[in-house]
Amino acid sequence: MIPLIRLDAPMLVFGGPYSNLQATQAVLAEAARRGIAGDRILCTGDVVAYAADAAACCDLMMESGALVLMGNCEENLAAEAEDCGCGFEEDTACDLLSRAWYAHANRQVTPRHRAWMGGLPRQLHLELPDRRRLAVLHGGATEISRFLFASAPEPVLLEELAETACQGVIAGHCGIPFARRLMGGGLWLNAGAVGMPANDGTPRSWFALLTPSPRALTVEILPLDYDHAAAAAAMRAAGLPEGYAAGLETGLWPSCDVLPSLELAARARALQPLRLVW
């Protein structure tokens, strides 16, 4: 059974901590600053990935009381699989880089972490005061590691939405935040990732704030500043790929293999905060 959460108070949503301890600490501190309790913090998965502190990020998220979804990284680490299952094409730059960080994370996580990861839900539903529901996914409803960017054709998003039997979707995985209204009044929201920048040429990362009212939901996509220099230094000290460490500082991904043409054209273009009433 899919867990149902009643969204009757503000909720902070983020994706992809990615083993970035400094960013994870910063987003949880942001929630505390806003008076948002642990059970109103939601992570769309991939607690563990590119950065240096897989075990520490798991510990922090486990202790936070936050709602955490299973991402493909959790799925594969729990199963002690040989790779991250990110959906990268074989022998692309993303695939080759992933082999180093996945091996590092696989060495760090403990049986306790793997048991926690294996018990995470694959989907959650949030019910608004007006009874509309949002399905929380990692990638897509049909595939945990499906990349669905803002430029995805509307029929693709509508098909994924229909699979959930909800009126809207909150997803992660693709690493670039967006909010998009769909035909028929639907919503597709990606809160982005806190552990890596959004390939926009700035070291900021992103999160979303959901504020319900009796008849509407206000969605804000907001930037997160954190100590990216310390996170990059930790990656270098761990011997992880330089491309991702440099990416924390430049705000640019070391490879754009997964990006559709519109997102590729927007590389290095600084994102702006967004507010939408649904």
Side-chain angles (χ1 to χ4, degrees):
M1 180 178 288
I2 297 172
L4 176 65
I5 310 297
R6 301 199 185 281
L7 187 56
D8 53 6
M11 174 174 277
L12 189 147
V13 183
F14 62 94
Y18 294 157
S19 303
N20 185 330
L21 181 60
Q22 289 76 13
T24 308
Q25 290 170 329
V27 76
L28 294 177
E30 178 68 16
R33 186 183 72 80
R34 292 174 177 271
I36 297 175
D39 63 354
R40 285 296 180 266
I41 299 171
L42 173 61
C43 173
T44 61
D46 285 353
V47 172
V48 171
Y50 310 100
D53 295 300
C57 280
C58 286
D59 289 338
L60 188 56
M61 291 306 299
M62 291 167 72
E63 293 164 4
S64 69
L67 301 164
V68 182
L69 206 67
M70 179 186 287
N72 54 276
C73 290
E74 284 79 38
E75 179 181 53
N76 281 28
L77 284 165
E80 300 188 60
E82 293 183 357
D83 60 47
C84 65
C86 290
F88 302 141
E89 290 189 21
E90 189 173 357
D91 293 329
T92 59
C94 285
D95 175 52
L96 297 173
L97 287 166
S98 74
R99 297 177 191 180
W101 65 253
Y102 184 80
H104 173 75
N106 207 17
R107 289 190 296 269
Q108 277 203 352
V109 296
T110 67
R112 182 174 68 94
H113 296 139
R114 293 185 204 273
W116 171 71
M117 292 176 188
L120 295 173
R122 292 174 173 271
Q123 192 172 145
L124 296 169
H125 287 176
L126 304 180
E127 186 174 79
L128 301 175
D130 61 11
R131 301 293 185 178
R132 288 180 299 170
R133 290 189 179 186
L134 288 158
V136 186
L137 316 170
H138 178 64
T142 57
E143 184 183 349
I144 194 171
S145 59
R146 186 170 192 184
F147 287 102
L148 293 165
F149 291 92
S151 64
E154 183 155 29
V156 171
L157 296 182
L158 287 172
E159 182 179 357
E160 293 282 337
L161 176 58
E163 287 284 332
T164 70
C166 292
Q167 289 71 51
V169 163
I170 299 171
H173 191 59
C174 76
I176 300 178
F178 67 92
R180 180 172 163 184
R181 297 181 186 272
L182 301 178
M183 188 182 303
L187 174 71
W188 194 283
L189 168 65
N190 193 304
V194 294
M196 276 283 156
N199 204 34
D200 71 339
T202 79
R204 304 167 303 170
S205 57
W206 295 82
F207 67 95
L209 186 66
L210 309 182
T211 306
S213 66
R215 297 183 181 178
L217 177 70
T218 300
V219 176
E220 296 173 88
I221 298 178
L222 300 167
L224 178 73
D225 292 312
Y226 73 98
D227 191 349
H228 58 272
M235 291 181 70
R236 293 182 176 116
L240 287 164
E242 171 59 23
Y244 284 121
L248 295 184
E249 299 167 328
T250 65
L252 298 174
W253 297 355
S255 172
C256 298
D257 298 326
V258 301
L259 290 182
S261 58
L262 288 177
E263 280 75 16
L264 187 60
R267 186 175 193 260
R269 189 183 304 161
L271 296 179
Q272 299 300 318
L274 178 149
R275 184 178 185 273
L276 177 151
V277 178
W278 180 59

